Amino acid sequence: EDQVTQSPEALRLQEGESSSLNCSYTVSGLRGLFWYRQDPGKGPEFLFTLYSAGEEKEKERLKATLTKKESFLHITAPKPEDSATYLCAVQATGGSQGNLIFGKGTKLSVKP
Amino acid sequence: DSGVTQTPKHLITATGQRVTLRCSPRSGDLSVYWYQQSLDQGLQFLIQYYNGEERAKGNILERFSAQQFPDLHSELNLSSLELGDSALYFCASSGSGGGGPQHFGDGTRLSIL
């Protein structure tokens, strides 16, 4: 069964304290891995897509990497406005559907 | 702003009732996806439509149904509502029927009393 597990469930950082979020996945064939940010009361906001092992994407203080079994979201020198829940999702190959399989997310709090 | 519009933002109703949630996808997107988000389950895929045709089904109850209209907007119909149906319901859209990122609306919060 296709599955996505994110850790930790919650992470508290001081402003400027860099860290990483983990997303491990089990899927028959990977079409793509996606990172989203979700703020309270809002829908998930698309951040990155990764398609193959070794691929990296960067956006401001965020950098996403992908291996054959997991993905990491590195946050460098975070600011309070980076506080949100970060969701990881995979899209499997096979068939014509494109639905995403989500992890339960990591809730990040950054204190000034 | 993702470009995906969902209405209403909030719905409060009673058990046994029926409601309709509406979604307008981003301009040019042909695929619409519906997801349910509850506190304990996270985001769960319900159903996908591509250019008016049902493309894939996930964990969607028989009491729930959806459709996509010629103008590409979609509606999710929930009937015989139960307390456990209380959740956030999100719509997402993408340009293709398969791969590529999905862009989400801000959801409809459904509360069953």
Side-chain angles (χ1 to χ4, degrees):
Chain A
E1 182 185 350
D2 299 334
Q3 195 169 328
V4 177
T5 304
Q6 291 187 248
S7 62
E9 289 185 16
L11 182 62
R12 290 187 175 188
L13 299 174
Q14 287 296 125
E15 185 172 1
E17 180 187 2
S18 301
S19 188
S20 294
L21 282 54
N22 177 262
C23 169
S24 62
Y25 61 91
T26 304
V27 66
S28 49
L30 182 68
R31 176 178 278 171
L33 185 141
F34 302 83
W35 282 98
Y36 287 84
R37 169 192 171 127
Q38 186 174 22
D39 292 297
K42 297 287 188 180
E45 175 190 348
F46 170 69
L47 294 174
F48 303 110
T49 308
L50 301 166
Y51 291 106
S52 56
E55 191 175 357
E56 298 181 352
K57 293 273 180 73
E58 280 189 73
K59 180 181 179 180
E60 296 180 358
R61 295 177 293 283
L62 300 177
K63 179 179 176 181
T65 62
L66 180 64
T67 73
K68 287 188 178 180
K69 297 284 187 187
E70 57 193 347
S71 177
F72 293 93
L73 185 65
H74 308 277
I75 303 177
T76 302
K79 298 182 177 181
E81 53 261 43
D82 294 322
S83 298
T85 295
Y86 290 85
L87 299 169
C88 172
V90 298
Q91 206 168 50
T93 57
S96 57
Q97 62 267 31
N99 58 286
L100 298 175
I101 302 160
F102 280 88
K104 293 189 176 181
T106 294
K107 185 174 182 179
L108 174 66
S109 299
V110 182
K111 302 296 183 186
Chain B
D1 183 6
S2 68
V4 179
T5 303
Q6 288 189 248
T7 56
K9 290 191 183 302
H10 303 279
L11 259 180
I12 302 174
T13 189
T15 55
Q17 296 298 306
R18 172 189 171 94
V19 296
T20 297
L21 314 183
R22 182 187 168 100
C23 169
S24 294
R26 290 192 319 163
S27 177
D29 283 357
L30 298 178
S31 269
V32 170
Y33 307 79
W34 286 97
Y35 292 84
Q36 180 190 59
Q37 187 176 43
S38 57
L39 282 174
D40 56 342
Q41 291 293 321
L43 271 159
Q44 298 284 315
F45 169 69
L46 295 177
I47 196 164
Q48 176 196 359
Y49 276 81
Y50 176 75
N51 203 21
E53 301 284 330
E54 182 184 303
R55 179 64 68 94
K57 264 186 173 180
N59 300 319
I60 188 166
L61 299 171
E62 285 190 12
R63 300 183 285 109
F64 296 0
S65 65
Q67 53 185 330
Q68 187 178 27
F69 295 86
D71 66 353
L72 300 178
H73 91 271
S74 178
E75 292 181 356
L76 179 67
N77 301 295
L78 315 177
S79 62
S80 302
L81 287 167
E82 302 175 0
L83 293 176
D85 298 327
S86 294
L88 274 165
Y89 291 85
F90 287 103
C91 167
S93 72
S94 71
S96 70
Q102 296 172 21
H103 299 272
F104 284 76
D106 282 338
T108 294
R109 181 175 293 278
L110 177 63
S111 299
I112 313 298
L113 302 180

